[in-house]
Amino acid sequence: MNDAARLLLEGPTFLTNGGTETYLFFQQGFLLRDACGFEVFDDDDAWRDLARAYLHPILDAAHHHRHGLLLDLLVWRAHPDYVAALGYPAEDVERFNRKAFDRTADVVSTWRGESPDRPSCPILLSADLGPRGDGYTVADAQVRASDAYAYHRRQIEILAETGVDVLCATTMTSVDETIGLVRAATETGIPVVVSPTVEVDGRVPDGTPLGEFVRRVDDDALRHMFA
């Protein structure tokens, strides 16, 4: 168990920043193409506004109420298909993921430096990972875990090199893609949290009941950890 996992399991309650893309689009008026929040890192003015009006108040709230903060990096869609769909070259997958970490870490460092008691606030930088396709429907329910592993591995390796504290796979829509992603994440030794999309019938979009989804993902992760 590394320090980040120990903090999450044994430390204070951790808050999260939620719906950053929603804030960017509806409150800040940022052109959010395909819900790809990572483009904000190429817009100095938009990033500065987001840090001041959105991130700093969340940091202040966590510190004031003596909570920790799990701060995501806006890289939910910073993987090859979406980066290419927006017209960027393949190498920009690495550029965006590294830039996301660097700019978010700089905001935290600046915020901590503004008051002598802020360094005591536990903050974990969390790389928010997403499914290859839409987060609410499954384009290909037959996706194989091995294909998902191969697809997600590069982004996860880049993020691991940045020094990110936690990986968090959100809006996952199929058990097999999640298993492949978690296999790649587990290889890095970084804690990985999984949060699938759950429909009103208690199933993820590929039809798997939530309980079965949790069991299959956990069982596969344990097999690969101790293989």
Side-chain angles (χ1 to χ4, degrees), residues 32 36 52 78 129 134 178 185 193 227:
L32 198 67
C36 294
R52 174 181 47 81
L129 306 172
D134 188 89
T178 306
V193 177

Side-chain angles (χ1 to χ4, degrees), residues 2 32 102 111 134 170 196 200 202 206:
N2 66 14
L32 198 67
D102 291 343
W111 175 83
D134 188 89
T170 62
V200 294
D206 73 349

Side-chain angles (χ1 to χ4, degrees), residues 115-188:
S115 176
D117 59 339
R118 286 179 177 175
S120 64
C121 181
I123 299 169
L124 297 176
L125 295 186
S126 169
D128 46 321
L129 306 172
R132 185 169 186 174
D134 188 89
Y136 302 94
T137 61
V138 183
D140 181 6
Q142 303 305 312
V143 61
R144 296 185 301 176
S146 57
D147 292 336
Y149 167 86
Y151 178 79
H152 291 287
R153 183 179 179 182
R154 182 56 184 146
Q155 183 190 15
I156 289 171
E157 287 177 338
I158 293 165
L159 289 164
E161 291 170 2
T162 69
V164 71
D165 299 301
V166 181
L167 302 170
C168 189
T170 62
T171 65
M172 299 304 295
T173 56
S174 73
V175 65
D176 288 317
E177 182 176 16
T178 306
I179 285 172
L181 185 152
V182 170
R183 285 178 188 173
T186 301
E187 290 181 354
T188 69

